[in-house]
Amino acid sequence: PKGAMFSLSVKESALAEKFITSKYSYDKATMGDARIDSYLITIPAEGLMTEGYRAFAEQYREYVYVQAGYSLDLKRDAQVVKADYKVLIGDTTFTDASIVNSIEDDEYYIAFNGTEGSGTLTIIFGRDAAEAAWDAYKEVMPSSATPLDFHLSDGFVKTNME
């Protein structure tokens, strides 16, 4: 439920006596003007790196679930008719082709563009840059200090492209 607070206790291991307790609020995890659960993860339906993008998308989905408690839907771009809020991973039909064509094997590009009523987080990486892209994403979306602080503003870009 929107705005509901809940407490989560996790036992560190089967033998541990210590519990870690954190409080989360469902309505705090946002990107742009929307709650993060409004976003649809979109990957390419086909292409050379489709499986690499799928693996990254699954990792992204798991990260959001662990940090914010939301399991985002994941679809191939051919299945997406309309989505106002998207996380584009890779060379989807919605991704800017000029950026995709500029990415070298060791480069990544992460950008957020949003207006009222829509938002798009784009993550593109070359053949050898999936790990670098993931590390860069986690710098933007830290997990430990503020697990629900997914706030990005329109025009945000993080890249290692030259």
Side-chain angles (χ1 to χ4, degrees):
K2 184 176 180 183
M5 294 295 289
F6 67 95
S7 182
L8 174 67
S9 294
V10 179
K11 196 170 185 178
E12 289 182 320
S13 74
L15 301 175
E17 294 298 321
K18 179 180 171 188
F19 284 85
I20 302 168
T21 302
S22 298
K23 289 187 177 180
Y24 298 88
S25 173
Y26 284 116
D27 67 346
K28 287 186 180 177
T30 61
M31 283 197 300
D33 69 348
R35 289 180 12 184
I36 200 161
D37 65 329
S38 302
Y39 283 80
L40 171 68
I41 303 171
T42 307
I43 59 172
E46 55 186 42
L48 293 175
M49 290 185 50
T50 301
E51 289 311 309
Y53 291 138
R54 173 174 278 291
F56 191 97
E58 291 291 350
Q59 185 176 18
Y60 177 86
R61 184 182 196 186
E62 174 72 14
Y63 186 79
V64 170
Y65 180 75
V66 168
Q67 300 306 319
Y70 295 119
S71 181
L72 302 182
D73 288 337
L74 189 153
K75 292 187 177 182
R76 295 187 183 276
D77 56 4
Q79 299 171 309
V80 178
V81 177
K82 183 179 188 289
D84 293 326
Y85 298 97
K86 297 179 285 294
V87 176
L88 305 178
I89 298 179
D91 183 12
T92 73
T93 56
F94 304 103
T95 308
D96 184 338
S98 66
I99 296 169
V100 171
N101 295 332
S102 301
I103 293 279
E104 298 293 330
D105 284 348
D106 62 345
E107 295 178 331
Y108 63 82
Y109 175 86
I110 301 171
F112 180 80
N113 292 294
T115 59
E116 190 171 328
S118 69
T120 303
L121 174 63
T122 303
I123 303 173
I124 309 167
F125 50 88
R127 232 176 266 284
D128 303 324
E131 188 175 336
W134 183 248
D135 290 343
Y137 173 78
K138 288 196 320 185
E139 285 177 15
V140 175
M141 304 295 192
S143 63
S144 57
T146 53
L148 296 179
D149 190 11
F150 284 84
H151 301 285
L152 290 179
S153 59
D154 181 47
F156 169 86
V157 175
K158 182 172 182 73
T159 183
N160 69 346
M161 296 173 64
E162 294 181 20

